[in-house]
Amino acid sequence: AGSGPPLRPPPPPPLPTAVPLGPAQTPPPPPKPSRWWHELAGDCCPISLTPLEELEYEPFGLLGSSDGAAPSSSSSSSSRAGLWGAAGASAMRAAKPVHWFDGKFLACSLVSKGQLWDPMSMRLLSRAECASLDDYLADKKLPPVHVAETFDLIQECRKELPEGPVHAARLGRLQVLGREAASLLRIFDEDPSATADEA
């Protein structure tokens, strides 16, 4: 028999095709929070006088009382936090008695004066409210004003004798924070839309 061409090895089997796994299993981006404070149309911040519905970010709330009197200084009031985020929206929809502010104006006003009370009711604020206001400013990427630190410094100064280097150092720190807050307040008065980068 004649010799034919050499036999070629059979081709390799095809590689298995990748099975599509469907869309990427990454969670969808969270929905943008509703601008619930637009329902406060007609109210304005008592410090900046800006209509609340015109704010680019939500206002900060301090809980009042239904009869207009300042709440008693009980353990529940001393642990009360400020109202913003989901808590703020819930308080607004529940028609709770809340004093609403542009938070950056509230923080600067409190610290610049060294008087940590609700400007509407003259109720002394709790440390939790001051810390909540600091958290609010950080969340909105606004300049820090150190409200809780101011609260702590005031409390410590009240416990100490006026003489001594520690007391003087705390008073000096309070003055520095007050000047910084007053400077920010002037910036915000000139340009209410100023942010942390601009201030």
Side-chain angles (χ1 to χ4, degrees), residues 34-195:
S34 65
R35 294 184 169 238
W36 53 265
W37 59 98
H38 286 193
E39 299 179 39
L40 296 169
D43 291 341
C44 67
C45 170
I47 301 172
S48 69
L49 303 182
T50 303
L52 296 177
E53 71 271 17
E54 294 182 7
L55 294 177
E56 290 299 318
Y57 46 83
E58 64 189 304
F60 183 88
L62 296 173
L63 190 62
S65 61
S66 57
D67 59 2
S72 60
S73 57
S74 62
S75 59
S76 61
S77 63
S78 63
S79 61
R80 171 188 299 140
L83 297 170
W84 61 283
S90 176
M92 186 273 296
R93 295 188 176 113
K96 290 185 177 181
V98 178
H99 302 146
W100 297 106
F101 303 87
D102 182 335
K104 67 186 181 186
F105 277 88
L106 174 63
C108 291
S109 176
L110 295 174
V111 175
S112 66
K113 297 174 182 177
Q115 298 172 340
L116 304 182
W117 53 54
D118 183 339
M120 301 298 292
S121 67
M122 308 309 288
R123 171 181 65 82
L124 289 175
L125 302 186
S126 68
R127 190 187 191 282
E129 287 172 313
C130 295
S132 181
L133 185 49
D134 284 332
D135 293 341
Y136 164 94
L137 296 176
D139 184 79
K140 309 307 173 196
K141 296 180 174 55
L142 294 166
V145 186
H146 309 287
V147 189
E149 182 184 356
T150 299
F151 179 94
D152 292 339
L153 288 168
I154 291 173
Q155 296 301 311
E156 291 301 322
C157 285
R158 286 175 178 169
K159 298 176 186 176
E160 298 168 345
L161 294 174
E163 302 85 7
V166 174
H167 184 82
R170 289 195 172 107
L171 283 179
R173 176 61 176 163
L174 275 173
Q175 292 170 355
V176 169
L177 294 177
R179 286 194 298 268
E180 291 176 350
S183 177
L184 283 173
L185 196 57
R186 286 192 295 270
I187 293 172
F188 294 147
D189 277 334
E190 296 171 1
D191 181 10
S193 64
T195 61

Side-chain angles (χ1 to χ4, degrees), residues 12-26:
L15 295 173
T17 57
V19 178
L21 298 177
Q25 303 298 316
T26 55

